[in-house]
């Protein structure tokens, strides 16, 4: 190749993957704000119990159901416990259970969905029909079954919520996979001799990723509430633990009389889900090579 | 000044890795009504981007037009609102995209894609539009046109898709047709048929065509005038006959030299040595200088202007000796 | 001679079902209909023919990307008919494909360097990252793409650049057989020349074999040893390259050659214009599929389908001979 | 395609037999004894035994299954252990309102979800997008009961426009369908947005623009269809869940749906009712998912089913 | 303004129609197979028994004009009311009564009512208007049980068979019109009711409205004329309304925590007493019951037969701590408290947890779904296998009788799985007293015996005695005569609109 004279050694300063990722992410103001909010939540989850103004478990029967005031920023509950402190302390449990269960469900569901969608034929049929049956099973029945088999416990709540999530993720991912696998570049990848697992995880998966992100971030709120309702069936945390979902559900009867009991847990769940969604969108944008900025 | 389209100093840049890179760098040319103008040039020199810029279709990319003027029938397209631009697109200026697979809607039947524009711009009734669509498909040589109307792009061969693209663009009988490599995927008989069709469109309707192609044979066959681009710039412009007869710019010469010709089998084809410089390392002077056999000192220092000479234009110091002298004098002072 | 065959295709067939009705397919597009040929090692076998006649489909069949309805594919003496995906996979290293549609065949979310790295990763896991990186740069360089572009995504390239990336991806593995579906259609002549030179050079050095699909007859002439002309799912003529251009036998081949545009505005040539409607691949004419447009059509052409036969060292399927 | 549909519908039958067996095993194996739950806390072992005998609960589980299947083959879903009311009657009366409510909820959730999604995608990272996001996130993270009670307070108590609950007039469907649809709308909006954002970057959109199509035509005529697969998937899922009824919404709006019946039956281990409902739901999901699969083929012609 | 604008609320109603919103679904309308109080309320509007309860849960004749009990307590003779017709026109007579009892006994235990007839030997038709029942052994609460067995038209029993639960035909003041599963039950006036003073309204609609907030809203909008139960939290806000009144009824429902006296450390009476002293009942009522309820000062509610007041274990933390020390647990211990998943149970359990924490008892609150809970409690075959420690629960004797409030809770025969003595309370003296009370036919003697029983048990403290529920119901002021009985069933016979 004599004619190639100018062999350029020039390379653009190729930044590390992580660094360029961060650099791109930084440009999204809302995403960064959400990220900081989320970090705050994580910090609260870690150190929350040691910075709260009141012991979240100590009742004060003389000050029950008080509205927000300077003393009690988010008011007090039916036992006179400080709602604000309970919310902060509840961060760990709610976020922990919510995030881990959704993640677990997402990972398992995604794998199943990819396999089902890519392989098709009987694999697809089997997985999807099992999912159909799972869909038909109400949560409460699964919860009872899980208590019977695994016994109660927080980790089992995580497992239970994850199990609810698996079939839905599987279906969502499968739908997208069916679409992606027909794209020409998948055929091109097959033509270079890529293994199925490589095609599935390196090529199909990234295409389904933004769908997964959306489902994942949207499901967090649902998972926090689901975890609470399982607690009520005796599967998980004790009803006295300060978990957001449980606080919200317990205060149902006070809707008309002590609105703050519903409002604040609802607000924090809303903000958490919102921040995750914004972050998810940011992430999606950053990972999208066609993204504008 | 041309009476249909004038492009002046068009400059388009893309942003990647947070740097702006100009890929079209001050392009000037124009088209008269009913004229077929070819654009040839190095792959990646900005032909497609130029045409997208004219149509203002960089919307969804990271690119934007930085400078310049695109006057179409006296109006600067770059100043138009999106709404007025919409009225021009498809109806007055239509475009055939280079990549037919991805440029067709994969989930919409061919017929519908075709008819949409017809109904919108020609205001035909549904039945009439359908008939027109089928006729157009037949005219671009699509067999079993009625069936194809009900098929999806992935069921067609590459060449068929390309013909569908052509049909879509031609169906509304635009005043200017920008055809970005319209016949690359077609066999020569069909190609001939399409070129014929285009010529007919030109002669019957007075449609002007901007034909971007690599096939110098096609250029020779249909174009009236040719523009040669290199690295985001126009380097030469001439009528077809003149260009093939006496190419001025060394790049044009080399290009013509590289064409394989039937009946002249040789073991190696001529190809221009070297690469197009990457946008970050654009030489100061003439962009072609590093690969040019006639490069002079000045070529490396100062970029030549696009100068007119009779009916042709070129951007090369070889033909601007006077200027060179003066510049050199100035330089040595 | 047969022993030297790298690839042998026998009576291969692919019908695509036509727009699905509610209960049964309305018919079939006979994309590839009983095609047989063989390619020798180190040879360039070109396929030319009308657009939509089944060239790409043939390429995909040979690479096992779609399943044939009938017929055999024998690669390196192994019959691949009915092999499963796993078996195919092991043949894909020595048999690479360049797709007609370069853009759609590139992963939209992968940087070019990763796209090119991938075949290496799959087939040469033993290579170090550094080695692979240099190999990628080398092949890109050879294909005329600056290392500056390594970090870009497919959509950030021009049509010709994408095509070169596709070529690079196929070449990087140094395969034995390359199925090149219009590999140079979007390249300007200079780069086209450069790529063609490269292909030839590789062939000389490594005994590469090409199945070359193209519409550009001048390119085909330049590169091929043997040329097959396809028409509506059938091969109508197979000849050594020199012969086909000097003595085209089949009327379709003749028409094709006469239609090649010449890059000289002064030269005008007599052109055989094909008349008649282009026949329907779903319902091809009886007898010789070309007879409806053939200037020399005879009565027999309407009823009897001609078979490939040897005529002066060329294989032609035409009743004229 | 017709063949495929018929094949899949026929395939449902053996599937349902398998499902019935799994469900049967599962609900009989989880702890809890219907005899005890029905007889009450005071009942003695002897009484409980008598009831168990009456209900065939003392027989081997496989035997019980055969008895059940025998009834099922004769179209008899059995009767409620608790009330002796035929299961068909219990479910039948609740099914129609449930289906109507589901359709209504799904209908508006789809329309508004897609609209919000489209707006968010078209005005990506601008205020309509953020507005859409906040709406969607509210829709999903506001608990149903909250939304329901607030609506009752507002529309029934304060304004007197709508009845607090019940299904005796179409007005009774409005608030429950809003409460049910909010979450679905949220999901649909987010999926539409995410999918559409990607589609709008495809080259064929550029083709559309190059032909002078209006943004409306481009979005709704071109981009939307190829963005709908994830949307259809979740919509299908959610629709399945809707048909199964939502305990919370049924509770808040005193709506006679199937959800509450199911929960009550589970708590009482009213096997025949639970069994029948689960079979019904499985059937629904299989059917809904079949429709979704067919829609895939419609939305993306490259996806084919013929095996 | 509200209701008049609302179509469904106004058009469906006229002056003589009433709507009653309740918190559950009806399960069945087979009066001999109902077990939940709500369905009992509904069946009582359509059906009547030989005897029945009045507002204070005392027995009074209904379809019988009078009755006689033999000295040995084994033979019950009823004289039946004449000229009573079932809704389908069938005549009510002795044969009808027999047909009903035959149905129950023939059900081999699958009808709820058969539990009431455990001691019934046979039934004899003396003449058209007289029936006689013979028991196998004396059973003092038998009359209460008769009150729980309404009479179905024998014609209907034949006609509908098993499906009688969907087609109720009785003698009561209201006739069945329609039952919309899961939604509502509509009854209309029985024009041929034997007591021509009743009924005074034309149509009664029961609506099941499980959500507390929605029920209250219905009362406010006028969609419901009567709601039960009325959530305690809403009392304050409703009191200010001029067209709504709130009724309070002391119930027979007692709230307590049963303590497994068979298990360490609960077998130590001092521990049990300490737990009782450590729990502040006033606060309990204030916090858990929102101020409505009274302290449980016996093993049964004041509204139950033969109730006798005991001295409450008043809140005394020091005493509790002292007792713990004496019992050998100065630092307390850990234990589990069980309960179902109803929200007020969870609230109560948490309260107990908070209170007992003060004497060092660390409770783990374990809420369990009903079926699982019942399994946990009733599956152990022997007391030693039992895992239950503390159980937060409530009890209401189904027929308001003292036996029902005592035997299954405290007799050693009633250890699970044979009954609900989850305290595994065994006191020989109590056991024999219970037997004695059953044999006795003299109410005064019974009263004495039950007084002793209550005293013994209360002092043994097998429970943490918490409170007695107050039943709250609300109605619009133009409605009179609908009331809730102490057992939680609604009586609408006297309903009247002004
Ligand atoms: N979306 C984009 N983002 C970044 N760079 C781009 C983008 N599109 C095009 N470019 C760059 O702009 C330059 C010109 O591209 P263009 O497509 O106009 O080339 P071309 O002249 O049409 O070439 P070809 O003949 O190969 O199609 C190329 O170097 C290409 O890499
Ligand atoms: N997936 C498919 N479904 C249905 N028909 C198809 C499909 N793919 C190809 N065809 C049909 O098969 C025929 C041959 O297509 P093929 O792509 O092989 O043509 P080709 O020779 O490569 O043409 P070109 O030169 O235009 O690329 C065409 O008529 C096309 O319509
Ligand atoms: Mg281009
Ligand atoms: Mg092709």
């Amino acid at each position: 190749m004599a004619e190639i004279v100018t062999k350029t050694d020039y390379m653009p300063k190729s930044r590390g993957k992580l660094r360029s990722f961060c650099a791109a992410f930084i440009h999204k103001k809302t995403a960064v704000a959400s990220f900081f909010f989320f970090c705050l939540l994580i910090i609260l989850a870690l150190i929350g119990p040691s910075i709260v103004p009141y012991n979240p478990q100590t009742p004060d029967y003389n000050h029950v159901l008080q509205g927000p005031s300077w003393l009690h920023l988010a008011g007090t509950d039916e036992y006179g416990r400080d709602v604000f402190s309970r919310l902060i302390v509840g961060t760990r449990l709610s976020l922990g259970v919510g995030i881990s269960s959704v993640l677990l469900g997402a990972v398992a569901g995604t794998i199943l969905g990819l396999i089902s969608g890519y392989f098709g034929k009987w694999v697809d049929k089997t997985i999807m029909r099992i999912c159909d049956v799972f869909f038909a099973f109400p949560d409460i029945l699964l919860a009872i079954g899980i208590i019977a088999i695994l016994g109660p416990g927080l980790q089992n709540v995580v497992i239970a919520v994850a199990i609810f999530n698996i079939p839905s993720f599987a279906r969502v991912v499968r739908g997208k996979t069916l679409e992606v696998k027909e794209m020409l570049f998948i055929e091109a990848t097959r033509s270079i001799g890529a293994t199925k697992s490589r095609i599935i995880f390196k090529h199909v998966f990234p295409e389904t990723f933004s769908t997964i992100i959306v489902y994942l971030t949207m499901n967090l709120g649902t998972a926090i509430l689901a975890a609470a309702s399982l607690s009520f069936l005796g599967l998980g945390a004790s009803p006295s633990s300060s978990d957001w979902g449980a606080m919200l559900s317990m205060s149902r009867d006070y809707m008309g009389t002590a609105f703050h009991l519903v409002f604040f847990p609802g607000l924090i769940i809303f903000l958490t889900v919102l921040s995750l969604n914004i972050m998810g969108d940011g992430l999606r944008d950053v990972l999208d090579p066609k993204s504008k900025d | 000044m041309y009476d249909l389209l004038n492009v002046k100093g068009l400059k388009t840049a893309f942003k990647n890795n947070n740097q702006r890179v100009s890929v079209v760098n001050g392009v000037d040319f124009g088209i008269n009504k009913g004229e077929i103008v070819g654009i040839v040039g190095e792959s990646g020199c900005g032909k497609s981007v130029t045409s997208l810029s004219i149509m203002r279709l960089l919307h969804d990319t990271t690119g934007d037009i930085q400078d310049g003027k695109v006057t179409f029938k006296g109006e600067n397209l770059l100043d138009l609102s999106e709404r007025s631009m919409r009225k021009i697109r498809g109806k007055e200026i239509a475009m055939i995209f280079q990549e037919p697979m991805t440029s067709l809607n994969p989930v919409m039947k061919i017929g519908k894609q075709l008819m949409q524009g017809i109904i919108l711009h020609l205001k035909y009734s549904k039945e009439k539009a359908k008939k027109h669509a089928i006729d157009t498909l037949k005219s671009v040589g699509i067999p079993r046109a009625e069936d194809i109307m009900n098929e999806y792009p992935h069921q067609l061969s590459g060449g068929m898709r390309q013909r569908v693209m052509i049909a879509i663009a031609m169906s509304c009988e635009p005043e200017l047709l920008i055809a970005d490599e319209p016949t690359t995927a077609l066999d020569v008989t069909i190609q001939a048929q399409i070129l014929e069709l285009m010529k007919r469109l030109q002669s019957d309707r007075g449609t002007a065509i901007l034909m971007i192609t690599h096939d110098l044979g096609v250029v020779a066959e249909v174009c009236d005038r040719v523009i040669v681009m290199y690295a985001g710039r126009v380097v030469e412009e001439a009528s077809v006959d003149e260009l093939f007869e006496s190419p001025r710019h060394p790049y044009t010469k080399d290009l013509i030299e590289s064409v394989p010709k039937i009946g002249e089998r040789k073991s190696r084809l001529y190809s221009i040595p070297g690469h197009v410089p990457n946008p970050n390392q654009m030489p100061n002077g003439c962009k072609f200088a590093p690969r040019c056999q006639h490069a002079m000192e000045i070529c490396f220092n100062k970029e030549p202007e696009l100068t007119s000479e009779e009916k042709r234009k070129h951007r090369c110091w070889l033909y601007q000796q006077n200027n060179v002298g003066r510049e050199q004098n100035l330089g040595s002072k | 001679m047969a022993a030297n065959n790298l690839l042998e295709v026998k009576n291969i067939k692919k019908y695509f079902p036509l727009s699905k009705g509610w209960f049964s397919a309305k018919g079939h597009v006979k994309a590839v209909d009983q095609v047989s040929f063989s390619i020798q090692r180190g040879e360039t076998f070109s396929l030319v023919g009308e657009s939509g006649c089944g060239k790409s489909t043939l390429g995909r069949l040979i690479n096992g990307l779609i399943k044939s309805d009938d017929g055999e594919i024998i690669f390196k003496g192994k019959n691949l008919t009915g092999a499963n995906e796993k078996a195919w996979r092991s043949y894909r290293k020595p048999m690479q494909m360049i797709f007609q549609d370069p853009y759609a065949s590139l992963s939209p979310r992968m940087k070019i360097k990763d796209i090119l790295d991938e075949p290496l990763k799959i087939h040469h896991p033993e290579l170090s990252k550094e080695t692979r990186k240099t190999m990628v740069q080398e092949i890109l360089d050879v294909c005329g793409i600056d290392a500056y572009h390594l970090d870009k995504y497919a959509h950030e390239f021009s049509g010709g650049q994408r095509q070169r990336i596709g070529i690079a991806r196929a070449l990087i593995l140094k395969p034995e057989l390359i199925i090149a579906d219009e590999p140079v259609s979007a390249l300007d002549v200079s780069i086209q020349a450069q790529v063609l030179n490269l292909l030839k050079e590789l062939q000389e050095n490594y005994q590469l074999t090409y199945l070359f699909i193209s519409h550009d007859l001048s390119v085909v002439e330049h590169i091929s040893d043997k040329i097959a002309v396809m028409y509506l799912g059938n091969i109508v003529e197979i000849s050594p390259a020199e012969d086909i251009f000097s003595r085209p036998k089949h009327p379709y081949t003749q028409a094709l050659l006469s239609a090649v545009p010449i890059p000289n505005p002064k030269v005008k040539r007599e052109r055989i214009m094909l008349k008649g409607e282009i026949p329907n691949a779903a319902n091809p004419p009886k007898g010789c599929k070309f007879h409806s447009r053939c200037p020399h059509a005879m009565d027999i052409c309407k009823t009897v389908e001609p078979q490939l036969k040897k005529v002066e060292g060329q294989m032609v399927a035409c009743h004229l001979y | 395609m017709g063949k495929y549909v018929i094949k899949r519908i026929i395939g449902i039958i053996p599937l349902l037999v398998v499902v019935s067996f799994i469900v049967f095993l599962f609900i009989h194996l989880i702890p809890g004894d219907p005899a005890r739950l029905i007889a009450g806390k005071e009942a003695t072992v002897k009484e409980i035994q008598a009831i168990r005998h009456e209900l065939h609960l003392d027989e081997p589980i496989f035997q019980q299954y055969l008895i059940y299947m025998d009834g099922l083959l004769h179209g008899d879903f059995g009767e409620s252990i608790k009330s002796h009311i035929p299961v068909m009657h219990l479910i039948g009366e609740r099914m129609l309102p449930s289906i109507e409510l589901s359709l209504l909820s799904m209908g508006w959730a789809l329309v508004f979800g897609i609209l919000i999604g489209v707006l968010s995608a078209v005005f990506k990272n601008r205020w309509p997008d953020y507005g859409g996001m906040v709406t969607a996130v509210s829709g999903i993270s506001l608990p149903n009961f909250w939304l329901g009670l607030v609506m009752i307070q507002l529309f029934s108590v304060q304004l007197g426009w709508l009845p607090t609950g019940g299904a005796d007039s179409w007005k009774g469907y409005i608030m429950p369908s809003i409460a049910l649809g909010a979450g679905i709308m949220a999901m649909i909006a987010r999926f539409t947005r995410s999918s559409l954002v990607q589609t709008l970057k495809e080259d064929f959109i550029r083709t559309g623009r190059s032909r002078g199509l209006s943004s409306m035509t481009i979005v709704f005529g071109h981009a939307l269809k190829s963005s709908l697969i994830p949307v259809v998937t979740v919509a299908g899922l959610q629709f399945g869940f809707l048909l199964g009824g939502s305990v919370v919404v049924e509770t808040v709006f005193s709506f006679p749906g199937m959800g509450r019946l199911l929960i009550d039956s589970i708590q009482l281990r009213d096997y025949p009712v639970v069994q029948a409902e689960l079979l019904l739901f499985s059937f629904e999901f299989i059917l809904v998912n079949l429709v979704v699969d067919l829609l895939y083929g419609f939305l993306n012609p490259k996806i084919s089913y013929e095996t | 303004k509200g209701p008049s604008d609302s179509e469904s609320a106004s058009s469906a109603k006229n002056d003589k129609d009433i709507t009653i919103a309740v918190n559950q679904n009806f399960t069945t309308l087979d009066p001999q197979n109902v077990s939940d109080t709500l369905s009992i309320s509904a069946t009582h509007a359509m059906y009547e028994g030989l005897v029945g309860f009045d507002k204070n849960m005392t027995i009074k004749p209904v379809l019988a004009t009078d009755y006689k009990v033999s000295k040995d307590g084994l033979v019950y003779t009823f004289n039946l009311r004449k000229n009573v017709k079932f809704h389908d026109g069938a005549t009510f007579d002795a044969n009808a009564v027999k047909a009903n009892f035959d149905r129950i006994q023939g059900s081999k235990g699958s009808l709820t009512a058969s539990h009431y007839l455990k001691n019934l030997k046979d039934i004899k038709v003396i003449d058209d208007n007289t029936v006689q029942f013979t028991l196998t052994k004396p059973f003092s609460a038998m009359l209460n049980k008769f009150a729980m067995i309404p009479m179905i038209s024998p014609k209907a029993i034949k006609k509908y068979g098993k499906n009688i639960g969907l087609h109720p035909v009785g003698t009561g003041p209201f006739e069945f019109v329609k039952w919309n599963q899961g939604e509502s039950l509509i009854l209309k006036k029985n024009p041929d009711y034997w007591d021509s003073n009743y009924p005074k309204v034309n149509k009664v609609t029961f609506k099941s409205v499980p959500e507390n907030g929605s029920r209250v809203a219905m009362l406010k909008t006028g969609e419901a004329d009567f709601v039960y139960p009325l959530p305690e939290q809403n009392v304050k806000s409703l009191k200010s309304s001029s067209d709504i009144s709130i009724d309070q009824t002391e119930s027979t429902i007692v709230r307590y925590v049963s303590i497994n006296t068979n298990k360490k450390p609960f077998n130590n009476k001092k521990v049990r007493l300490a737990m009782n002293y450590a729990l502040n009942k006033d606060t309990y009522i204030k916090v858990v019951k929102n101020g409505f309820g009274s302290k449980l000062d016996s093993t049964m509610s004041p509204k139950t037969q033969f109730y006798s007041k005991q001295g409450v274990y008043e809140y005394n933390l020091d005493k509790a701590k002292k007792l713990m020390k004496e019992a050998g647990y100065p630092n307390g211990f850990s234990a589990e408290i069980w309960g179902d998943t109803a929200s007020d149970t969870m609230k109560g359990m948490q309260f107990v947890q908070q209170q007992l924490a003060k004497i060092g008892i660390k409770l783990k609150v374990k809420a369990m779904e009903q079926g699982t809970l019942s399994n946990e409690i009733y599956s152990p075959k022997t007391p030693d296998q039992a895992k239950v420690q503390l159980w937060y629960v409530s009890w209401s004797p189904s027929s308001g009788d003292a036996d029902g409030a005592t035997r299954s809770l405290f007799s050693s025969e009633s250890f699970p799985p044979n009954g609900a003595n989850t305290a595994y309370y065994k006191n020989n003296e109590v056991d024999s007293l219970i037997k004695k009370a059953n044999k006795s036919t003299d109410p005064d003697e019974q009263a004495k015996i039950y007084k002793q029983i209550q005293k013994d048990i209360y002092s043994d403290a097998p429970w943490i005695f918490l409170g007695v529920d107050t039943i709250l119901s609300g109605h619009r002021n133009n409605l009179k005569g609908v009331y809730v009985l102490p057992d939680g069933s609604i009586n609408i016979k006297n309903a009247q609109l002004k």
Side-chain angles (χ1 to χ4, degrees), chain B residues 42-43 99 101 141 144 151 157 159 163 184-188 214 221 241 245 262-263 265-266 269-270 275, chain C residues 18 51-52 101 103 144 152 160 162 164 185-186 188 191 193 197 215 221-222 224 256 265-266 271 278 280:
Chain B
E42 180 99 24
S43 160
E99 240 138 325
M101 176 72 219
R144 57 191 179 93
E151 290 197 349
S157 78
R163 279 176 277 166
T184 44
L186 303 180
D187 68 283
V188 282
H214 291 302
E221 196 139 305
D241 295 344
E245 200 160 291
I262 290 186
R265 245 180 108 114
K266 30 188 170 177
L269 293 167
Y270 175 75
H275 281 297
Chain C
L18 206 58
S51 155
D101 209 318
Y103 182 29
K152 292 215 280 191
R162 290 170 191 159
R164 281 176 272 164
S185 64
D188 71 86
I191 291 183
N197 288 342
H215 289 304
E221 189 206 14
H222 172 77
S224 324
L256 211 56
K266 293 277 161 61
R271 182 174 283 171
I278 299 171
N280 184 342

Side-chain angles (χ1 to χ4, degrees), chain B residues 43-79:
Chain B
S43 160
C45 69
K47 304 182 292 294
S48 303
V49 172
T50 302
S51 49
L52 288 177
S53 305
I54 294 172
M55 295 283 277
R56 287 204 14 218
L57 285 174
L58 294 165
H59 186 79
D60 296 317
T61 67
T62 57
D64 54 84
I65 300 166
Q66 310 235 289
D67 200 5
K69 240 169 129 176
V70 178
T71 11
F72 179 73
K73 299 207 286 189
E75 256 180 322
N76 187 354
L77 296 184
L78 303 187
D79 290 342

Side-chain angles (χ1 to χ4, degrees), chain A residues 10-27:
Chain A
Y10 169 82
M11 294 279 279
K13 41 181 188 339
S14 168
R15 287 180 278 189
K17 266 195 184 127
L18 189 69
R19 273 195 54 195
S20 59
F21 173 84
C22 294
F25 195 80
I26 289 287
H27 282 274

